[in-house]
């Protein structure tokens, strides 16, 4: 999976938690999630939720989450489009599943609760 796809995966499958700069670094090995979040926002012309949090060490970081069902659908479509390109053009990511409508609906239900 590409770094952008990893960020999207976390936004869809953990809609309440989303992804933070800290988690992206330690869990996903992405140096700066802000760049990928900005890329998503520019490409889809949306603005994701941003929440400032404080680590146990006293440093601040930002957590990113999706706002609504429209954003969930747009981000899932971007993931599937990027996955299709990676599989067809670059012959990679064949083991990565597409985000299904059931996954999208589950993320939307989770956001509403």
């Amino acid at each position: 999976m590409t770094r952008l796809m990893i960020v999207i995966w976390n936004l869809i499958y953990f809609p309440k938690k989303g992804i933070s700069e800290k988690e992206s670094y330690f869990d996903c090995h992405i140096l700066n999630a802000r760049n990928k979040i900005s890329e998503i926002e520019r490409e889809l012309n949306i603005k994701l939720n941003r929440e400032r949090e404080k680590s146990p060490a006293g440093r601040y970081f930002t957590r990113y989450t999706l706002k609504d069902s429209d954003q969930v659908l747009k981000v899932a479509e971007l993931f599937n489009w990027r996955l299709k390109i990676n599989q067809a053009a670059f012959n990679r990511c064949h083991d990565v599943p597409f985000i299904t409508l059931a996954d999208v609906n589950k993320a939307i239900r989770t956001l509403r609760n």
Side-chain angles (χ1 to χ4, degrees):
M1 249 192 289
T2 66
R3 290 179 175 158
L4 180 74
M5 291 167 65
I6 292 169
V7 169
I8 292 173
W9 184 270
N10 280 282
L11 290 170
I12 295 289
Y13 288 98
F14 306 104
K16 290 248 182 187
K17 181 182 173 194
I19 190 166
S20 72
E21 295 166 342
K22 186 175 94 173
E23 292 163 349
S24 70
Y25 180 75
F26 290 110
D27 299 340
C28 307
H29 310 291
I30 300 172
L31 191 55
N32 194 341
R34 282 187 310 238
N35 295 338
K36 298 303 168 191
I37 294 296
S38 294
E39 186 177 339
I40 293 167
E41 291 176 333
R42 275 192 315 274
E43 198 158 327
L44 298 175
N45 197 26
I46 60 174
K47 190 76 170 166
L48 299 179
N49 285 331
R50 287 170 168 73
E51 189 175 318
R52 296 291 290 167
E53 294 184 10
K54 192 174 186 179
S55 72
R59 293 188 175 88
Y60 286 93
F61 61 94
T62 305
R63 179 169 301 283
Y64 303 96
T65 56
L66 299 168
K67 286 184 182 178
D68 54 25
S69 57
D70 186 45
Q71 285 189 356
V72 172
L73 188 58
K74 285 181 178 181
V75 169
E77 287 173 348
L78 176 62
F79 178 92
N80 288 339
W81 179 71
R82 290 287 181 107
L83 180 56
K84 194 178 292 187
I85 288 172
N86 274 287
Q87 289 176 345
F90 303 110
N91 198 28
R92 61 181 178 201
C93 298
H94 292 288
D95 59 334
V96 178
F98 285 92
I99 295 174
T100 65
L101 188 56
D103 297 330
V104 169
N105 288 330
K106 183 178 178 185
I108 291 169
R109 281 193 308 274
T110 303
L111 274 180
R112 290 183 179 156
N113 292 336

